[in-house]
Amino acid sequence: MHVRDLTQYLAELSENNNRAWFVMNKPRYDILRAEFLELVVRLIADISKFDPAIAGCNPKKALFRINRDMRFSHDKSPYKTYFSASITASGLKKPSQGGGPAYYFHIDADGTLLVAGGEYMPPADRLRAIRNQVVADSLGFGKLLKNKKFKETYGTLQTEGKLVRPPKGFDVDSPHIEYIKLKNFIVWKEQPLKKMLSDALEKELVSGFKDAYPLVGWLRQIKTPVTE
């Protein structure tokens, strides 16, 4: 895809975030959206080489809409100023729908690429299942944290929204208690796109997703209890 054209479009959209401008520039959007979809198609094929569970992901459903949900937001700007996609084995994007661990990325109006893997804001029952698995499989969880490529690329899990105290049902002496306090089990990294070409972008994404696979694979083995 034409990375420079996409970032230019998003920069202009951020300055003209209204329906009139969007409609006038719809042909540009349609072309960029089609190119972005083609990128996701290739990414699914590339990821499937080290994570075969991804092979059945529907690329069209992996893309997020550019329209913002303004129902509960003070910001009434109608459009997102980034293109994003979430690639999952289930084909579902949202954690609330049971999407499970994902490979996520977005490109924003500032020309920044974000690459991520794991589960962001999982619902309460799913979060408890993950926390329980941290205790039940403390050795396996510790092994993924020590994975060389994982550490080199991401360091460790993001600590955004971390609890101050252990969640209910977990003791301060529980294995990996600092990770049990997390509300998200995800890693991410950001970098400027600058003059990055399409081939380099795709290579960077695949490399980042491959390094996140130890976390994605570990999370995928966890079964969320079915509540009646």
Side-chain angles (χ1 to χ4, degrees), residues 70-120:
M70 300 180 289
R71 291 175 299 173
F72 310 107
S73 175
H74 292 296
D75 179 4
K76 298 304 179 182
S77 301
Y79 306 107
K80 301 171 186 173
T81 55
Y82 55 89
F83 272 27
S84 56
S86 182
I87 300 170
T88 67
S90 67
L92 301 172
K93 293 189 291 288
K94 297 181 179 180
S96 60
Q97 297 175 337
Y103 300 101
Y104 172 88
F105 77 102
H106 73 226
I107 297 172
D108 69 17
D110 295 322
T112 300
L113 170 67
L114 181 144
V115 185
E119 294 192 43
Y120 183 74

Side-chain angles (χ1 to χ4, degrees), residues 14-138:
S14 68
E15 295 295 325
N16 304 275
N17 203 322
N18 58 76
R19 178 170 171 74
W21 187 92
F22 185 82
V23 171
M24 186 178 297
N25 289 271
K26 186 66 161 48
R28 292 173 65 192
Y29 169 77
D30 290 340
I31 293 171
L32 292 167
R33 177 83 171 183
E35 291 182 351
F36 195 73
L37 176 60
E38 291 174 0
L39 172 62
V40 172
V41 169
R42 295 195 300 272
L43 287 173
I44 291 172
D46 290 335
I47 296 169
S48 297
K49 294 175 183 177
F50 61 82
D51 186 357
I54 292 300
C57 181
N58 184 330
K60 290 184 178 180
K61 291 185 177 180
L63 272 61
F64 285 92
R65 298 176 65 219
I66 198 167
N67 301 76
R68 292 183 62 250
D69 184 350
M70 300 180 289
R71 291 175 299 173
F72 310 107
S73 175
H74 292 296
D75 179 4
K76 298 304 179 182
S77 301
Y79 306 107
K80 301 171 186 173
T81 55
Y82 55 89
F83 272 27
S84 56
S86 182
I87 300 170
T88 67
S90 67
L92 301 172
K93 293 189 291 288
K94 297 181 179 180
S96 60
Q97 297 175 337
Y103 300 101
Y104 172 88
F105 77 102
H106 73 226
I107 297 172
D108 69 17
D110 295 322
T112 300
L113 170 67
L114 181 144
V115 185
E119 294 192 43
Y120 183 74
M121 297 297 287
D125 57 343
R126 177 64 181 168
L127 180 58
R128 173 161 286 277
I130 296 172
R131 287 169 170 168
N132 286 336
Q133 188 67 12
V134 171
V135 175
D137 184 28
S138 61

Side-chain angles (χ1 to χ4, degrees), residues 65-219:
R65 298 176 65 219
I66 198 167
N67 301 76
R68 292 183 62 250
D69 184 350
M70 300 180 289
R71 291 175 299 173
F72 310 107
S73 175
H74 292 296
D75 179 4
K76 298 304 179 182
S77 301
Y79 306 107
K80 301 171 186 173
T81 55
Y82 55 89
F83 272 27
S84 56
S86 182
I87 300 170
T88 67
S90 67
L92 301 172
K93 293 189 291 288
K94 297 181 179 180
S96 60
Q97 297 175 337
Y103 300 101
Y104 172 88
F105 77 102
H106 73 226
I107 297 172
D108 69 17
D110 295 322
T112 300
L113 170 67
L114 181 144
V115 185
E119 294 192 43
Y120 183 74
M121 297 297 287
D125 57 343
R126 177 64 181 168
L127 180 58
R128 173 161 286 277
I130 296 172
R131 287 169 170 168
N132 286 336
Q133 188 67 12
V134 171
V135 175
D137 184 28
S138 61
L139 292 178
F141 185 72
K143 184 178 179 180
L144 87 83
L145 294 175
K146 294 176 182 177
N147 180 279
K148 183 179 179 181
K149 285 291 187 179
F150 179 85
K151 288 182 64 178
E152 287 178 353
T153 302
Y154 298 107
T156 190
L157 275 68
Q158 291 290 330
T159 58
E160 182 181 90
K162 181 179 177 181
L163 298 174
V164 176
R165 298 181 178 83
K168 184 178 179 180
F170 295 90
D171 189 78
V172 291
D173 297 324
S174 297
H176 304 294
I177 188 59
E178 293 305 310
Y179 291 99
I180 290 173
K181 294 178 184 178
L182 299 178
K183 296 181 181 179
N184 308 297
F185 281 76
I186 194 167
V187 291
W188 71 64
K189 64 173 183 175
E190 293 180 299
Q191 66 184 86
L193 286 168
K194 294 183 179 179
K195 297 182 180 180
M196 186 179 292
L197 299 176
S198 179
D199 289 348
L201 169 62
E202 187 174 338
K203 184 177 179 180
E204 184 67 27
L205 286 165
V206 174
S207 176
F209 292 150
K210 189 172 184 178
D211 293 342
Y213 175 65
L215 174 61
V216 172
W218 185 84
L219 288 167

